[in-house]
Amino acid sequence: MVEYRIDRRSGVATYLQIVQQTKHALRLGLLEPGDQLPTARAVVEATAINPNTVLKAYRELEREGLVEARRGMGTFVTRSLGAAQPADSPLREELREWAGRARSSGMDKDDVAALITSVLDQIFEGEQG
């Protein structure tokens, strides 16, 4: 089950944060086809956002073909994304250790994110994401 975290200072629309977090969960294998997304009520209770915001996010995911709403039953994942390594993969552990070293060297989260983005841009140059 995915637990949404809303960052009100991020500058990213709340519904897009839900869409992005759902896609991340799909890429990491935390959500798989057939899994049910949390109900709008559960998301509202956990995050204190407007129910229409949750529904807008779920509609966007449905428009992209990632989920389907089943009347009276909830919203369910219809397909997965990408071939990302599972959450417990060795690559994740290596990245976790690297991020720990970056933090120990004095970098903050934004510094690390900028560095990672820069490296990803170099490695995946010319590819569309």
Side-chain angles (χ1 to χ4, degrees):
M1 180 66 74
V2 63
E3 293 181 23
Y4 297 110
R5 295 190 182 123
I6 304 304
D7 181 356
R8 290 173 169 69
R9 298 176 298 157
S10 70
V12 177
T14 303
Y15 87 95
L16 284 178
Q17 291 183 49
I18 293 172
V19 169
Q20 290 170 347
Q21 290 174 31
T22 303
K23 288 180 176 179
H24 288 168
L26 290 168
R27 289 192 185 283
L28 293 173
L30 301 173
L31 284 174
E32 298 179 350
D35 287 347
Q36 184 176 9
L37 295 183
T39 64
R41 175 182 285 182
V43 176
V44 167
E45 288 175 4
T47 61
I49 61 174
N50 187 307
N52 289 328
T53 302
V54 180
L55 297 175
K56 183 176 181 179
Y58 284 10
R59 281 193 305 270
E60 177 62 22
L61 290 164
E62 189 170 14
R63 189 190 64 74
E64 294 183 26
L66 299 172
V67 302
E68 76 175 351
R70 297 179 190 160
R71 192 170 194 85
M73 298 178 66
T75 302
F76 293 84
V77 173
T78 55
R79 71 178 174 97
S80 188
L81 284 175
Q85 298 290 314
D88 61 350
S89 77
L91 283 176
R92 182 180 177 89
E93 186 57 32
E94 288 176 32
L95 183 57
R96 183 181 174 88
E97 290 171 9
W98 178 87
R101 288 197 314 272
R103 185 176 189 184
S104 296
S105 73
M107 296 177 75
D108 67 18
K109 187 175 179 180
D110 290 338
D111 293 337
V112 172
L115 180 58
I116 289 173
T117 299
S118 171
V119 171
L120 291 175
D121 288 347
Q122 286 177 329
I123 291 181
F124 293 99
E125 185 176 333
E127 294 182 24
Q128 292 186 349

